[in-house]
Amino acid sequence: MANDLKKETPVLKVEDLAVAYKIRGGEIEAVQNVSFEIGRGESQGIVGESGCGKSTMAWAVLNFLGSNGYVKRGSIKFQGQELVGKEGEELRKLRGDQIAMVYQDPMQALNPSMKLGDQMREVLTVHRGMSNAEAEDRCVDMLSRVYMPDAANVMGRYPHQISGGQQQRVVIAMALLNNPALLIMDEPTTALDVTVEAAVLDLIAELRREFDTAIMYISHNLGVVARVCSKVGVMYAGEMVERAPVEKIYAEPQHPYTQGLIRCVPKLGADKASSQLYPIRGRVPPPNNRPSGCIYGPRCDYAQQKCIDERPQLRIMPNGTAVRCHFAEEIDPANWVATDDIKLKPAKEDVTKNKPILSLNNFKKYYEVVGNSIRDVLGQGEVKYVKAVEDATFDVARGSTLGIVGESGCGKSTLIKTIIGLEKSTDGEAKFLGFDINDDISERNEQIIQELQMVFQNPDSTMNPSYTVGQQISRPMIRFGTVPQNQVREEVVKILDLMRLGENYYDRLPRQLSGGEKQRVGIARALASRPDLVLCDEPVSALDVSVQAAILNLLIDVQREHGTTMIFIAHDLSVVRFFSDNVAVMYLGQVMEIGPADAIYAPPYHPYTEALLSAVPIPDPTVEQKRIRLEGNVPSAMNPPTGCRFHTRCPRRKLMADGGKKCETDIPVWRQFEDGHRVFCHLPEETLKSFEPVITAAETA
């Protein structure tokens, strides 16, 4: 009886939580009226845009709110024990032992001056009183369970000596060492490759099954939440506006905000010709300027006078969903109609049949590596090279978009940096508008520089903090003389309007902009010289889904209006599929598959593409997805495998008649399929065509 009662007690129960921060002249409530509970073996997803209070709530559970933050009202109970008011040694014994947290940035949790083994062993020696030898064995075992290669040697390394994905695995392993009752994960896979992310998500699911761990998973990625969570809470501006089982959230979203988030996310089979993303207009209000009525009212398409006058309470709907909306019963998302300001311009004819604007043939980029021995310093040692890009051969049609996908280190960014001239190519042909662009940017014709522009992943690193938005966008116009001097401001305002920013942004400094606004300024600056080709390096990977949808729509509008050609890099295969006309899949510097976007996402495909598709999180819990996981890490580009570079990790090589020996010794041939679809693989055409689809929609009754 006592055991049954213990099982019924939630691991974490949050009731009417309000978190406030003291500021000069008063206080700000960052989180208000939040209630939820997590039982043993349950995973509670918390989703919402940046600034909604997701992380603040996690910090409140751990009492990591800082000197000016505190729980103003409400209750946080862990296994029936009240946490509000606990501090000092009593709270420290819980943290890292029964409650663990995995941070978005692993370097926040790792001490750069301590070896990883020392940091991991400390968790067990302090909280469990283990000997160093016993703790060492358990740490190595846990590292192996999170798929850390060479786990024993990793214990002797410092954090900077392993990759970002490996750092995140170390943090996850540390969090799991004591088999915590509650595991809080704050965007733990945002910076990871899709394949590493899949392994981490598999591990989370395994934890729930094997250890009965309660998990609070914070993310803005609806696909990740659909894969790992049993329940979902949707937060907006510090309040929880909807709470339901994961299947109901995606199949029957009740709150207008939840419905808006789902409309922002591209479905894996969708493309820009047949579908559209619908960003939520406006932005999350700051905590010190929230409306008195419904906090979502100013952005809601269904708002009425009652929404302005009265704040809705969280109530239970007939289907069991808890929702904070006055008119949830009357809202049918199927009848929602987009307003004109978020509709895309109609698509033009098929641009993939246009003449190529960019042509690469056996394009290579190697980096020379000099050792640190005396012979190397004297130039007598063996010269080694990092083969970052190897034999890239493809055309990009004018007005089209080529998407490039692959794991970190596969050569995506190096390829476009070499195309734009930030790096000098090693060998091969590269022609843009018929001109040779193999030299670096300092030797290029000024017209070529004007016609080739780039949008970087991090706008902060490419914007001068001392220059206004108007000055930064006008500089290319003045430099290349694209408009007369007396019309520069007028032209900048036109581009700002195109970016949906407006003239009032002209005199703002970068520090006065949000992340999404900075990215729009980066795009505006790239377009200021009226280029023919724009190279986009992960321009939306760190953005909220609503801002991401707005940026993608913006790029599509620009392309359709001006006929701009684009190369688009992203690790989200759903985004690449939606945005691109053609897709190239890269692995360890080589293009493994290239062709029309719809062909890449259906058999026949390269085994590497198949594995990537199996790993991508899909924002629909009813979708069935084959489970294919790649073993090991990407090999070194300094010493790539012989034959097919993918053979060391290929799950399909055993289908070869010789068991895959040819894959180890011979460079593959290109398999040519319909409409320019090519696959770089030894497997026969009939074998590739026999692959079953990785993703299938679940049958409905």
Side-chain angles (χ1 to χ4, degrees):
M1 183 70 179
N3 287 337
D4 291 339
L5 184 62
K6 188 174 181 180
K7 284 183 180 178
E8 291 173 4
T9 303
V11 174
L12 180 69
K13 186 173 183 178
V14 177
E15 291 183 284
D16 297 321
L17 180 68
V19 178
Y21 287 92
K22 295 176 183 177
I23 59 171
R24 185 179 297 173
E27 66 176 17
I28 290 177
E29 285 195 13
V31 171
Q32 301 173 325
N33 312 317
V34 171
S35 299
F36 66 92
E37 61 182 51
I38 312 174
R40 275 279 177 195
E42 289 185 334
S43 180
Q44 171 78 52
I46 307 292
V47 300
E49 296 168 278
S50 296
C52 284
K54 306 186 298 295
S55 295
T56 299
M57 195 168 55
W59 295 125
V61 174
L62 296 164
N63 195 17
F64 277 162
L65 292 170
S67 58
N68 66 328
Y70 65 101
V71 174
K72 184 176 181 181
R73 60 181 177 273
S75 169
I76 304 172
K77 289 182 180 176
F78 171 68
Q79 295 181 331
Q81 183 181 180
E82 182 63 61
L83 295 182
V84 176
K86 274 193 190 305
E87 54 186 35
E89 186 65 19
E90 192 177 12
L91 188 59
R92 189 182 70 82
K93 286 180 179 178
L94 287 175
R95 293 194 299 230
D97 183 13
Q98 297 180 57
I99 303 174
M101 184 162 180
V102 178
Y103 302 84
Q104 179 175 355
D105 179 5
M107 288 307 289
Q108 287 184 5
L110 295 174
N111 187 329
S113 64
M114 288 178 66
K115 290 182 178 179
L116 296 167
D118 294 335
Q119 298 183 56
M120 293 185 70
R121 283 191 299 270
E122 187 178 53
V123 175
L124 295 169
T125 55
V126 170
H127 291 290
R128 289 288 187 267
M130 286 187 183
S131 66
N132 274 331
E134 191 179 359
E136 175 89 12
D137 292 340
R138 181 163 172 77
C139 291
V140 172
D141 177 64
M142 190 57 72
L143 284 174
S144 299
R145 293 195 59 182
V146 297
Y147 311 104
M148 175 68 74
D150 199 14
N153 284 331
V154 166
M155 294 281 287
R157 297 177 189 169
Y158 289 93
H160 71 272
Q161 294 176 310
I162 60 175
S163 69
Q166 290 173 335
Q167 290 171 3
Q168 192 64 284
R169 289 186 230 187
V170 169
V171 172
I172 292 170
M174 287 177 66
L176 301 177
L177 282 172
N178 287 328
N179 187 15
L182 174 64
L183 179 61
I184 301 173
M185 311 190 84
D186 188 3
E187 300 272 16
T189 62
T190 298
L192 302 182
D193 284 322
V194 67
T195 50
V196 178
E197 177 182 64
V200 170
L201 299 183
D202 288 345
L203 179 66
I204 294 169
E206 185 182 328
L207 283 174
R208 287 177 54 201
R209 291 191 302 268
E210 186 173 340
F211 297 110
D212 226 16
T213 307
I215 298 172
M216 185 165 84
Y217 195 99
I218 297 169
S219 180
H220 69 263
N221 188 322
L222 297 178
V224 169
V225 170
R227 177 178 286 185
V228 301
C229 297
S230 51
K231 303 186 297 185
V232 180
V234 181
M235 288 194 69
Y236 179 77
E239 289 187 344
M240 192 163 283
V241 296
E242 187 166 0
R243 193 178 66 229
V246 65
E247 294 82 5
K248 286 187 178 179
I249 283 285
Y250 289 89
E252 307 172 50
Q254 299 293 305
H255 196 280
Y257 178 60
T258 311
Q259 296 166 11
L261 288 178
I262 292 173
R263 283 193 291 264
C264 290
V265 182
K267 294 179 173 58
L268 192 63
D271 60 49
K272 61 186 177 183
S274 60
S275 60
Q276 182 180 340
L277 305 180
Y278 298 102
I280 302 171
R281 54 191 172 89
R283 64 165 71 177
V284 179
N288 60 348
N289 191 28
R290 289 172 180 155
S292 56
C294 175
I295 52 174
Y296 187 61
R299 302 176 76 188
C300 182
D301 295 323
Y302 306 99
Q304 300 181 32
Q305 187 61 41
K306 186 177 181 180
C307 305
I308 299 172
D309 300 336
E310 183 182 336
R311 179 159 291 192
Q313 300 300 310
L314 196 69
R315 56 198 177 90
I316 306 298
M317 299 284 286
N319 69 348
T321 299
V323 63
R324 196 183 297 274
C325 178
H326 290 304
F327 305 104
E329 294 92 343
E330 304 170 24
I331 296 171
D332 183 358
N335 295 330
W336 179 83
V337 178
T339 55
D340 290 337
D341 62 322
I342 61 173
K343 287 183 179 177
L344 283 171
K345 296 178 177 66
K348 296 181 180 179
E349 69 282 351
D350 181 9
V351 294
T352 60
K353 306 300 181 185
N354 292 347
K355 291 182 178 179
I357 190 173
L358 175 72
S359 295
L360 303 184
N361 185 30
N362 295 326
F363 193 64
K364 295 181 177 67
K365 175 58 187 176
Y366 294 174
Y367 293 98
E368 185 175 330
V369 177
V370 179
N372 53 12
S373 69
I374 295 177
R375 285 177 57 83
D376 292 324
V377 172
L378 295 175
Q380 299 172 356
E382 180 185 356
V383 179
K384 296 182 179 180
Y385 296 94
V386 173
K387 299 178 180 179
V389 177
E390 184 80 79
D391 294 328
T393 301
F394 57 80
D395 294 334
V396 182
R398 181 181 287 274
S400 69
T401 298
L402 172 68
I404 304 178
V405 298
E407 295 169 283
S408 294
C410 72
K412 306 185 300 293
S413 295
T414 299
L415 175 63
I416 65 170
K417 285 178 181 177
T418 310
I419 290 172
I420 203 169
L422 295 176
E423 304 281 359
K424 187 173 182 178
S425 67
T426 303
D427 197 8
E429 296 179 3
K431 291 193 174 181
F432 172 66
L433 294 172
F435 294 94
D436 184 3
I437 55 169
N438 269 309
D439 47 9
D440 64 39
I441 201 164
S442 63
E443 301 171 10
R444 285 190 180 173
N445 180 290
E446 190 171 287
Q447 184 184 353
I448 296 297
I449 297 173
Q450 176 185 339
E451 300 293 355
L452 256 176
Q453 293 293 318
M454 188 164 176
V455 179
F456 295 87
Q457 179 176 358
N458 182 5
D460 280 319
S461 64
T462 58
M463 295 177 69
N464 190 322
S466 303
Y467 280 35
T468 66
V469 167
Q471 288 173 320
Q472 304 207 39
I473 297 174
S474 64
R475 190 169 183 272
M477 297 178 182
I478 298 169
R479 177 69 179 82
F480 296 114
T482 53
V483 294
Q485 187 75 33
N486 60 350
Q487 297 177 20
V488 168
R489 184 182 177 94
E490 180 184 347
E491 191 66 23
V492 171
V493 171
K494 283 183 182 178
I495 293 182
L496 287 173
D497 288 337
L498 181 63
M499 300 294 115
R500 297 192 175 96
L501 291 176
E503 187 173 4
N504 58 322
Y505 281 80
Y506 190 96
D507 294 314
R508 294 189 188 183
L509 292 168
R511 67 172 183 269
Q512 297 172 299
L513 309 179
S514 69
E517 288 169 341
K518 290 175 184 175
Q519 194 60 282
R520 293 186 199 203
V521 172
I523 294 170
R525 186 175 58 184
L527 297 174
S529 66
R530 299 175 184 171
D532 281 330
L533 177 61
V534 176
L535 310 176
C536 304
D537 188 5
E538 298 270 17
V540 297
S541 62
L543 303 179
D544 286 324
V545 290
S546 182
V547 179
Q548 173 182 280
I551 296 296
L552 291 175
N553 282 354
L554 181 63
L555 290 171
I556 293 170
D557 261 343
V558 167
Q559 185 172 55
R560 289 177 177 174
E561 183 170 332
H562 300 285
T564 309
T565 310
M566 296 185 189
I567 295 180
F568 186 88
I569 289 177
H571 66 258
D572 188 329
L573 275 73
S574 300
V575 169
V576 172
R577 169 70 180 90
F578 172 80
F579 187 69
S580 305
D581 300 294
N582 293 291
V583 175
V585 181
M586 289 189 71
Y587 179 80
L588 204 59
Q590 285 190 326
V591 176
M592 292 294 179
E593 183 171 6
I594 189 167
D598 56 350
I600 298 290
Y601 288 75
Y605 28 48
H606 193 281
Y608 180 57
T609 308
E610 185 184 31
L612 290 180
L613 289 171
S614 170
V616 64
I618 299 173
D620 185 350
T622 65
V623 165
E624 296 178 1
Q625 193 171 11
K626 283 171 63 178
R627 188 183 184 281
I628 302 170
R629 297 293 180 262
L630 299 179
E631 296 182 359
N633 291 324
V634 179
S636 168
M638 195 185 307
N639 187 27
T642 56
C644 174
R645 292 191 174 185
F646 185 58
H647 83 260
T648 57
R649 303 173 75 200
C650 182
R652 295 286 192 176
R653 56 183 291 201
K654 294 178 182 177
L655 296 178
M656 292 285 291
D658 61 359
K661 292 182 180 178
K662 187 176 182 180
C663 303
E664 299 177 21
T665 58
D666 295 356
I667 295 175
V669 295
W670 281 101
R671 304 289 183 193
Q672 188 80 37
F673 298 99
E674 300 81 17
D675 203 19
H677 181 198
R678 296 181 291 139
V679 177
F680 193 57
C681 186
H682 283 302
L683 288 171
E685 181 175 330
E686 56 271 18
T687 303
L688 292 172
K689 286 185 174 181
S690 70
F691 290 179
E692 294 180 358
V694 170
I695 299 162
T696 54
E699 294 183 7
T700 55

